[in-house]
Amino acid sequence: MSKDTINVGGEEKVVREDTAKSYRGTMWALISVGAFVIIAAILFFVFFGSSVGDGDLQSPKEIEQKRQPGQ
């Protein structure tokens, strides 16, 4: 049975190859999810923050009143 080393808590441990692959896969998945959350948060704050920052927030009723000025 093949052995491989992984780095856990700053020290290297010798484990089976399938355990090492599973560990690396789990770490990759966690990093990917973290990157997705960070990118989503940045996009949210860029688009939502710019709409709040310009001070032009209106309710749907105000938008409809502007669209139909004769009423």
Side-chain angles (χ1 to χ4, degrees):
M1 190 172 287
S2 181
K3 299 287 183 177
D4 203 351
T5 59
I6 58 173
N7 191 345
V8 179
E11 65 181 67
E12 291 188 1
K13 296 191 179 202
V14 177
V15 294
R16 292 189 330 227
E17 184 180 12
D18 62 332
T19 304
K21 285 182 180 180
S22 174
Y23 178 78
R24 286 192 294 267
T26 302
M27 290 296 110
W28 181 86
L30 290 174
I31 291 169
S32 297
V33 169
F36 176 77
V37 169
I38 289 170
I39 291 169
I42 289 170
L43 289 175
F44 175 79
F45 286 117
V46 164
F47 290 111
F48 184 71
S50 65
S51 69
V52 170
D54 64 7
D56 195 24
L57 291 178
Q58 297 176 340
S59 69
K61 182 179 178 182
E62 292 171 339
I63 294 170
E64 278 299 314
Q65 288 174 349
K66 281 187 175 182
R67 195 179 295 172
Q68 301 169 359
Q71 295 179 353

